[in-house]
Amino acid sequence: MRTESTPNQIQKWLSELSLEQKVNLVVGMGQNVPGIADVEQEEKVPGAAGSTYPIPELGIPSLTLADGPAGLRIEPERDGTDKTFYCTAFPIATLLASSWDTELVERVGEAFGKEVKEYGVDILLSPAMNIHRNPLAGRNFEYYAEDPYLSGYMGAAMVKGVESQGVGTSIKHFVANNSETNRMHLDTHVSERALREIYLRGFEIVVKEAQPWTIMSAYNKINGTYASESEELLETILRDEWGYEGLVMTDWFAGEDPAGQMMAGNDLLMPGVPPQRQALLAAVKSGELDEAVLDRNVARILELILRSPVYQKYAYSDQPDLEGHAKLARAVAAEGIVLLKNETQTLPLASSNLKVATFGVGSYDFIAGGAGSGDVNNAYTVSLVEGLENAGITLNEDLKAKYLTFVGAEKAKLPEKRYFFDLLPPIPEMLINRAEIATQAQLNDLALITIGRNSGEFQDRQTEGDFYLTKTEQELITNVSDTFHKAGKKVVVLLNIGNVIETASWRDQADAIVLAWQGGQEAGNALTDVLTGKITPSGKLPTTFVRSYDDVPSAKTFPGEENPGGAIKQVGEMVMAREAEITFHDDIMVGYRHYNTKGIETAYPFGFGLSYTTFEYESLELSSNQIEQTLSVRVTIKNTGELSGKEVVQLYLSAPGLTIEKPAMELKGFAKTRLLQPGEKQTLTMDLNPKDLASFDTAQSAWVVEAGTYTIKIGASSTNIRLEKNFIAANMIVEKVNKVLVPKK
Ligand code: BGC
């Protein structure tokens, strides 16, 4: 908390700190990476990602920083104690965004913040805000959406929730970090307009709505300059234009020039290595780095320290309410499950007395969340079969035993993880012959098949056997569907995945498809709640499911190209990246902006999701037929079905697009009803302001509104528009900004 004495205390410290101490403060305490271990220290919170340098003689404590987006990542066990330190694995960010429910995400943030605080951590390295530009990006699961508006409001809700507990967040990775391959040495060429409208916009929303305590700059370069060395990004845009008041830290081992990072406004270098200290001392001594710049950055660190639990001597318990948070994780996971297909009311399951055959290794080995720094050390993960059994559903025991034996044997073959961030190879799908499937079809009422996918840091996904199903998976779906259908029985496919896979080629074979995402430690229970109808699904897609990878506008150039003979980036002994480049040719046409504008058919469009009930979009009213400041949009929704349920309502805007090229439509508002009983109605209000209409005009470096007729499209998805109304806008310059981050080619 900033108090009146904050500036005085900071000034006092600044006057007392030696140059060496200032340098120590801006360079983190290091990490135990082979070849670069820093200061020997006892870790306060084992497994935390990093800490800042303490100066005990001045009463300046060390801050503890820990990942990540789906739950706090710390070591669950410690030497010398039987006590455990597990954290709750909440659903992945993409699932949270599928709930389209900012209040719910804020509640998750509160629970998250409590774990951060009770385990003695000061800053949570989350939420992660990068845009789903391409379905193969390895960390999409950590990110919310392909749309900056949705991503921005989800991130803001998360920051508000976490920080309400008196701990900090770090929104990351700022900015244009949309792939993993060569991420530490990748030069991203991107237009000013795409940066402003797509890649920066979500961060801008979070900064303006929630003022996060910290921001993590990205690994990559943007138009030739490392994010962490870009004054245009970190001072001009972030601080001068957006009014950001907090601290910026690097991503771990990012960038090359410590003095440049300081001058750019990147206040803290994480995790910190001794050569960075030497370089900074030398730079101040030679005059290359003005000590006043260092003081500015140190002051930001000191301000952060003053608001931290460690400075306030918070007596953490190491005992957060894991039981309560598990309940919340289950409820939240169910809210973000998306029902993709449901023919002839296959779901909800008619009765809990059904006999069910569960196919697919994934049914038995459910994935709670992705790998790498976005992973969580949770005490358990409820699989699909455990969830079903917990609900009293009878599973075929022979089939279960066969799968469990297979999964056990395959797991035993997996290599040991060398580092926490290693992504182990997936367990292959088990071959199961038709005769066996036929027996199962006789013995059971229904087949469930789980398809699972995992991904993580350092690598992007592949098309073959990842985006597309493996041959064995295809055969499994075909054989189970043929055989069960011949016996008059239904087949439901469950997707336990972190991001988009191909569905168009096989979806006709399933009677129902449920996108469970990676739902955290209670995933199997949450999915069962939806399958049985205890909870009516209300999730909608925050990212498009394309028919084919080739339909993705960035498919041809993702994830960039290595420069022949280019430099290698090494951290200690590890080769991290080769010099590479990527050009965002898709510009502002990312995701549905591209598909809707070009009329490209998708498997499941952005915003899509079915329910067990039906909704009528009854009326749409605008507060005016022209916009000056705010335009209020009121939509009345009625549950016209037979079950209670919630509806996510999306507001898209189509612009005249006469002088400025515009996507066919863009998301500019959303709202979710409460649980509506059959026949019940609710009126939702969404507000538009001139910036929602504006495009970034590169020639003027300004957000401008083009005069003309705009159409508000209220949709149940981006392709299912239920109500429309026009309004008029005059020419407006909403905001003039600086000409920065200009592409070099
Ligand atoms: C990741 C960050 C993470 C950091 C600390 C980096 O490799 O990119 O997202 O917060 O490590 O674990």
Side-chain angles (χ1 to χ4, degrees):
M1 192 84 40
R2 198 171 208 283
T3 65
E4 271 178 23
S5 62
T6 302
N8 295 342
Q9 181 58 57
I10 292 174
Q11 279 317 315
K12 182 167 175 288
W13 271 334
L14 277 176
S15 67
E16 291 164 346
L17 286 163
S18 67
L19 176 61
E20 283 72 14
Q21 286 173 322
K22 289 178 191 170
V23 165
N24 283 342
L25 269 176
V26 297
V27 180
M29 275 284 268
Q31 209 174 43
N32 205 8
V33 174
I36 52 159
D38 194 5
V39 195
E40 281 296 316
Q41 55 156 341
E42 209 182 302
E43 274 182 307
K44 175 182 161 200
V45 182
S51 52
T52 63
Y53 210 103
I55 309 196
E57 51 281 30
L58 295 182
I60 299 175
S62 164
L63 293 173
T64 303
L65 289 62
D67 288 308
L72 182 63
R73 186 175 64 77
I74 58 173
E75 277 302 321
E77 287 168 16
R78 293 181 192 170
D79 291 341
T81 173
D82 292 342
K83 243 177 86 60
T84 55
F85 302 80
Y86 287 107
C87 298
T88 307
F90 290 99
I92 59 168
T94 315
L95 182 149
L96 296 182
S98 304
S99 76
W100 297 65
D101 187 340
T102 49
E103 270 171 44
L104 188 76
V105 173
E106 196 167 330
R107 270 174 48 213
V108 174
E110 285 162 14
F112 225 138
K114 286 183 180 141
E115 293 195 18
V116 171
K117 195 162 182 185
E118 291 311 325
Y119 277 131
V121 172
D122 300 287
I123 309 289
L124 176 72
L125 304 172
S126 174
M129 301 287 309
N130 299 99
I131 292 292
H132 295 166
R133 175 171 177 261
N134 183 297
L136 300 187
R139 293 180 82 177
N140 277 349
F141 72 94
E142 294 187 52
Y143 306 143
Y144 292 111
E146 71 183 19
D147 178 86
Y149 187 91
L150 178 57
S151 177
Y153 282 97
M154 288 292 142
M158 180 58 86
V159 169
K160 285 180 195 164
V162 175
E163 295 196 350
S164 71
Q165 302 307 308
V167 293
T169 55
S170 193
I171 61 171
K172 65 189 189 185
H173 310 87
F174 189 55
V175 65
N177 180 179
N178 302 83
S179 52
E180 287 299 288
T181 311
N182 292 315
R183 63 182 187 175
M184 291 181 110
H185 219 318
L186 183 67
D187 192 358
T188 300
H189 305 289
V190 50
S191 75
E192 291 151 75
R193 182 174 179 195
L195 272 171
R196 296 280 184 170
E197 292 188 18
I198 305 292
Y199 299 101
L200 287 167
R201 185 74 184 116
F203 287 95
E204 180 180 5
I205 291 171
V206 182
V207 168
K208 290 184 174 169
E209 294 281 319
Q211 274 291 353
W213 287 16
T214 83
I215 291 184
M216 188 189 292
S217 53
Y219 282 124
N220 48 287
K221 292 180 179 175
I222 299 144
N223 296 326
T225 307
Y226 280 115
S228 62
E229 295 173 13
S230 172
E231 190 175 0
E232 293 186 343
L233 178 68
L234 305 180
E235 287 294 328
T236 311
I237 293 182
L238 179 62
R239 287 168 165 125
D240 300 347
E241 293 180 6
W242 298 352
Y244 180 57
E245 292 165 2
L247 165 141
V248 176
M249 70 178 80
T250 59
D251 199 345
W252 268 226
F253 306 105
E256 283 174 5
D257 173 11
Q261 289 172 315
M262 286 300 119
M263 290 187 265
N266 196 121
D267 312 296
L268 176 62
L269 308 184
M270 289 304 294
V273 289
Q276 289 173 321
R277 293 201 181 90
Q278 290 144 20
L280 288 177
L281 281 175
V284 175
K285 285 181 183 152
S286 73
E288 182 201 347
L289 175 63
D290 189 343
E291 196 169 340
V293 169
L294 195 62
D295 285 353
R296 171 195 71 179
N297 301 346
V298 168
R300 290 178 186 149
I301 296 175
L302 294 173
E303 176 153 4
L304 184 66
I305 288 172
L306 282 174
R307 18 169 41 176
S308 66
V310 64
Y311 181 76
Q312 287 160 17
K313 303 203 167 45
Y314 179 72
Y316 56 97
S317 64
D318 276 333
Q319 280 178 326
D321 177 14
L322 294 180
E323 256 176 55
H325 295 175
K327 285 196 189 114
L328 177 64
R330 175 174 180 164
V332 173
E335 291 293 311
I337 287 175
V338 186
L339 181 63
L340 293 178
K341 177 175 180 181
N342 194 18
E343 293 289 298
T344 59
Q345 293 187 333
T346 302
L347 295 173
L349 299 179
S351 101
S352 53
N353 294 330
L354 288 180
K355 290 198 206 108
V356 177
T358 35
F359 293 96
V361 290
S363 297
Y364 302 82
D365 187 34
F366 231 55
I367 301 164
S373 58
D375 200 357
V376 186
N377 294 310
N378 41 312
Y380 62 85
T381 300
V382 179
S383 69
L384 171 69
V385 290
E386 287 162 348
L388 295 168
E389 285 173 341
N390 290 343
I393 293 172
T394 315
L395 304 182
N396 186 277
E397 289 298 327
D398 283 349
L399 188 64
K400 179 176 148 190
K402 221 170 241 164
Y403 269 107
L404 284 177
T405 309
F406 179 82
V407 169
E410 288 298 320
K411 278 199 161 170
K413 288 186 210 162
L414 291 177
E416 281 275 310
K417 273 192 180 185
R418 282 165 316 146
Y419 302 106
F420 78 84
F421 49 76
D422 283 344
L423 176 66
L424 293 178
I427 295 176
E429 191 47 77
M430 184 173 94
L431 291 167
I432 179 159
N433 64 38
R434 278 184 177 260
E436 171 78 40
I437 297 173
T439 310
Q440 292 299 328
Q442 290 316 313
L443 295 174
N444 295 289
D445 303 309
L446 175 85
L448 298 180
I449 308 173
T450 303
I451 301 293
R453 288 289 181 272
N454 206 357
S455 72
E457 233 173 314
F458 295 104
Q459 62 232 299
D460 295 304
R461 295 168 56 208
Q462 302 298 318
T463 46
E464 292 317 307
D466 190 345
F467 178 81
Y468 292 103
L469 299 192
T470 64
K471 206 163 159 276
T472 321
E473 288 170 334
Q474 288 170 20
E475 279 172 15
L476 180 68
I477 293 178
T478 304
N479 293 343
V480 170
S481 303
D482 284 355
T483 317
F484 272 70
H485 288 158
K486 271 190 201 124
K489 300 182 176 164
K490 290 184 175 173
V491 177
V492 181
V493 176
L494 310 168
L495 303 179
N496 176 209
I497 58 181
N499 205 248
V500 178
I501 63 166
E502 186 272 330
T503 54
S505 68
W506 56 265
R507 63 179 171 180
D508 290 350
Q509 299 171 48
D511 300 287
I513 304 175
V514 183
L515 172 56
W517 293 118
Q518 295 167 342
Q521 66 186 41
E522 289 284 332
N525 284 332
L527 180 52
T528 302
D529 290 341
V530 167
L531 294 174
T532 56
K534 193 169 157 196
I535 292 178
T536 300
S538 60
K540 298 206 179 181
L541 293 178
T543 211
T544 306
F545 273 55
V546 282
R547 293 178 64 87
S548 142
Y549 178 66
D550 297 330
D551 290 340
V552 177
S554 55
K556 284 207 176 68
T557 51
F558 184 90
E561 245 178 68
E562 286 179 12
N563 295 341
I568 289 175
K569 172 104 181 175
Q570 228 167 311
V571 172
E573 293 158 4
M574 285 190 278
V575 173
M576 307 300 280
R578 281 163 206 284
E579 197 179 82
E581 306 202 28
I582 189 165
T583 302
F584 286 10
H585 292 291
D586 44 347
D587 206 57
I588 58 161
M589 295 296 180
V590 175
Y592 71 89
R593 285 171 166 76
H594 173 74
Y595 309 119
N596 288 8
T597 307
K598 296 274 182 222
I600 294 168
E601 203 190 323
T602 61
Y604 299 106
F606 179 80
F608 176 83
L610 301 171
S611 172
Y612 296 153
T613 187
T614 51
F615 296 96
E616 192 184 318
Y617 285 54
E618 276 198 349
S619 65
L620 164 61
E621 289 161 44
L622 311 188
S623 58
S624 166
N625 61 3
Q626 63 189 61
I627 188 166
E628 274 152 27
Q629 289 305 317
T630 308
L631 189 76
S632 272
V633 179
R634 285 160 58 87
V635 184
T636 302
I637 304 293
K638 182 177 180 187
N639 181 350
T640 48
E642 273 146 34
L643 293 170
S644 58
K646 298 176 187 172
E647 175 71 336
V648 170
V649 177
Q650 299 151 45
L651 187 163
Y652 295 94
L653 196 62
S654 291
L658 301 173
T659 53
I660 305 173
E661 191 201 353
K662 282 277 209 178
M665 59 206 278
E666 294 182 280
L667 184 78
K668 295 296 174 184
F670 62 89
K672 190 168 186 173
T673 67
R674 61 174 183 269
L675 186 71
L676 295 179
Q677 300 305 322
E680 206 185 340
K681 292 183 192 185
Q682 187 181 354
T683 299
L684 302 166
T685 306
M686 292 167 275
D687 286 341
L688 279 179
N689 60 56
K691 186 142 177 185
D692 295 325
L693 278 61
S695 302
F696 187 75
D697 178 13
T698 311
Q700 299 186 68
S701 286
W703 290 88
V704 299
V705 173
E706 183 190 24
T709 302
Y710 287 73
T711 308
I712 288 179
K713 298 181 171 169
I714 302 296
S717 83
S718 61
T719 58
N720 182 3
I721 302 303
R722 301 287 189 84
L723 298 167
E724 287 192 15
K725 242 178 199 161
N726 292 344
F727 68 94
I728 311 269
N731 280 321
M732 279 183 258
I733 294 190
V734 179
E735 202 182 332
K736 187 103 183 87
V737 296
N738 297 284
K739 182 136 194 93
V740 287
L741 301 181
V742 178
K744 307 253 173 335
K745 60 176 191 184

Coordinates of all heavy atoms in Angstrom, one line a residue, residues 31 49 66-68 73 125 139 142 172-173 177 180 183 216 219 251-252 373 420 457-458, ligand 1:
Q31 N 19.7 -17.9 -10.0 CA 19.0 -19.1 -10.0 C 20.0 -20.2 -10.2 O 21.0 -20.0 -10.8 CB 18.0 -19.1 -11.2 CG 16.8 -20.0 -11.0 CD 15.8 -19.8 -12.1 OE1 16.2 -19.8 -13.3 NE2 14.5 -19.8 -11.8
A49 N 10.4 -18.9 -8.4 CA 11.2 -18.7 -9.6 C 12.3 -17.7 -9.4 O 13.3 -17.7 -10.1 CB 10.3 -18.1 -10.7
A66 N 7.1 -15.9 -7.7 CA 6.8 -17.3 -8.1 C 5.7 -17.4 -9.2 O 4.8 -16.5 -9.3 CB 6.4 -18.2 -6.9
D67 N 5.8 -18.4 -10.1 CA 4.9 -18.6 -11.2 C 3.6 -19.1 -10.5 O 3.6 -19.6 -9.4 CB 5.4 -19.6 -12.2 CG 6.5 -19.1 -13.0 OD1 6.3 -18.0 -13.6 OD2 7.6 -19.7 -13.0
G68 N 2.5 -19.2 -11.3 CA 2.3 -18.9 -12.7 C 0.8 -18.9 -12.9 O 0.0 -18.9 -12.0
R73 N 3.4 -22.0 -8.4 CA 4.3 -23.1 -8.6 C 5.4 -23.0 -7.6 O 6.3 -22.1 -7.8 CB 4.8 -23.0 -10.0 CG 5.7 -24.2 -10.4 CD 6.1 -24.2 -11.9 NE 6.9 -23.0 -12.2 CZ 8.2 -22.9 -11.9 NH1 8.9 -23.9 -11.3 NH2 8.9 -21.8 -12.3
L125 N 3.8 -14.4 -10.8 CA 4.2 -14.2 -12.2 C 3.1 -14.6 -13.1 O 3.2 -15.5 -13.8 CB 5.6 -14.9 -12.5 CG 6.7 -14.5 -11.5 CD1 7.9 -15.4 -11.7 CD2 7.0 -13.0 -11.6
R139 N 2.6 -22.2 -25.6 CA 2.1 -21.7 -24.3 C 0.7 -21.1 -24.4 O 0.3 -20.4 -23.5 CB 3.1 -20.6 -23.7 CG 4.4 -21.3 -23.4 CD 5.3 -20.2 -22.8 NE 5.1 -20.0 -21.4 CZ 5.8 -19.2 -20.6 NH1 6.8 -18.5 -21.1 NH2 5.6 -19.0 -19.3
E142 N -1.5 -21.0 -21.5 CA -1.3 -20.0 -20.4 C -2.1 -18.7 -20.7 O -2.2 -17.8 -19.9 CB 0.1 -19.7 -20.2 CG 1.0 -20.9 -19.7 CD 2.4 -20.5 -19.4 OE1 2.6 -19.5 -18.6 OE2 3.3 -21.1 -19.9
K172 N 2.3 -10.6 -18.2 CA 3.4 -11.0 -19.1 C 2.9 -11.6 -20.4 O 1.7 -11.9 -20.4 CB 4.3 -12.1 -18.3 CG 3.6 -13.4 -18.0 CD 4.4 -14.3 -17.1 CE 3.9 -15.7 -17.0 NZ 4.6 -16.5 -16.0
H173 N 3.6 -11.8 -21.4 CA 5.0 -11.4 -21.6 C 4.9 -10.2 -22.6 O 4.5 -10.4 -23.7 CB 5.8 -12.5 -22.2 CG 5.7 -13.8 -21.4 ND1 4.7 -14.7 -21.7 CD2 6.4 -14.3 -20.4 CE1 4.8 -15.7 -20.8 NE2 5.8 -15.5 -20.0
N177 N 5.0 -11.9 -27.8 CA 5.7 -13.1 -27.6 C 4.7 -14.2 -27.9 O 4.0 -14.7 -27.0 CB 6.1 -13.2 -26.1 CG 6.8 -14.5 -25.7 OD1 7.3 -14.6 -24.6 ND2 7.0 -15.4 -26.6
E180 N 7.1 -20.0 -29.1 CA 8.2 -20.4 -28.2 C 9.5 -20.7 -28.9 O 10.6 -20.4 -28.3 CB 7.8 -21.7 -27.5 CG 6.7 -21.5 -26.4 CD 7.2 -20.5 -25.3 OE1 8.1 -20.9 -24.5 OE2 6.8 -19.4 -25.3
R183 N 12.6 -18.3 -28.8 CA 11.9 -17.1 -28.2 C 12.9 -16.1 -27.7 O 12.6 -14.9 -27.7 CB 10.9 -17.6 -27.1 CG 11.7 -18.2 -25.9 CD 10.7 -18.7 -24.9 NE 11.4 -19.1 -23.7 CZ 10.9 -19.5 -22.6 NH1 9.6 -19.5 -22.5 NH2 11.6 -19.9 -21.6
M216 N 6.0 -8.1 -16.7 CA 7.2 -8.8 -17.2 C 7.4 -8.5 -18.7 O 6.5 -8.8 -19.5 CB 7.1 -10.3 -17.0 CG 8.4 -11.1 -17.2 SD 8.1 -12.9 -17.2 CE 7.7 -13.1 -15.5
Y219 N 10.8 -11.9 -24.0 CA 12.1 -12.3 -24.5 C 12.5 -11.7 -25.8 O 13.6 -11.3 -26.1 CB 12.1 -13.8 -24.7 CG 12.3 -14.6 -23.4 CD1 11.4 -15.6 -23.1 CD2 13.4 -14.5 -22.6 CE1 11.5 -16.4 -21.9 CE2 13.6 -15.2 -21.4 CZ 12.6 -16.2 -21.1 OH 12.8 -17.0 -20.0
D251 N 11.8 -11.0 -18.4 CA 11.6 -12.4 -18.3 C 13.0 -13.1 -18.0 O 14.0 -12.4 -18.2 CB 11.0 -13.0 -19.7 CG 10.4 -14.4 -19.4 OD1 10.6 -15.0 -18.4 OD2 9.6 -14.8 -20.3
W252 N 13.0 -14.3 -17.6 CA 14.2 -14.9 -17.0 C 15.3 -15.0 -18.1 O 15.2 -15.6 -19.1 CB 13.8 -16.3 -16.5 CG 13.4 -16.2 -15.0 CD1 13.9 -17.1 -14.1 CD2 12.5 -15.3 -14.3 NE1 13.3 -16.7 -12.8 CE2 12.5 -15.6 -13.0 CE3 11.8 -14.2 -14.8 CZ2 11.8 -14.9 -12.0 CZ3 11.0 -13.5 -13.8 CH2 11.0 -13.9 -12.5
S373 N 6.8 -23.3 -16.8 CA 6.5 -22.4 -15.7 C 5.0 -22.3 -15.4 O 4.7 -21.8 -14.3 CB 7.2 -21.1 -15.9 OG 6.7 -20.5 -17.1
F420 N 12.4 -29.0 -14.3 CA 11.0 -28.9 -14.0 C 10.2 -28.6 -15.3 O 9.1 -29.0 -15.5 CB 10.6 -27.9 -12.9 CG 10.7 -26.5 -13.4 CD1 9.5 -25.9 -14.0 CD2 11.8 -25.7 -13.3 CE1 9.5 -24.6 -14.4 CE2 11.8 -24.4 -13.7 CZ 10.6 -23.9 -14.3
E457 N 6.6 -24.9 -22.3 CA 7.6 -23.9 -22.6 C 8.6 -24.4 -23.5 O 8.9 -25.6 -23.6 CB 8.2 -23.4 -21.3 CG 8.2 -22.0 -21.1 CD 8.7 -21.6 -19.7 OE1 8.2 -22.2 -18.7 OE2 9.5 -20.7 -19.6
F458 N 9.3 -23.5 -24.2 CA 10.5 -23.7 -25.1 C 10.1 -24.3 -26.4 O 11.0 -24.3 -27.3 CB 11.5 -24.6 -24.4 CG 12.1 -24.0 -23.2 CD1 11.8 -24.5 -21.9 CD2 13.1 -23.0 -23.3 CE1 12.3 -23.9 -20.8 CE2 13.6 -22.5 -22.2 CZ 13.3 -22.9 -20.9
Ligands
BGC1 C1 8.9 -17.8 -18.4 C2 8.1 -16.9 -17.5 C3 8.3 -17.3 -16.1 C4 9.8 -17.4 -15.8 C5 10.0 -17.8 -14.3 C6 10.4 -18.0 -18.0 O1 11.0 -19.0 -18.7 O2 8.9 -17.4 -19.8 O3 6.8 -16.9 -17.9 O4 7.5 -16.5 -15.3 O5 10.4 -18.3 -16.6 O6 9.8 -19.1 -14.1

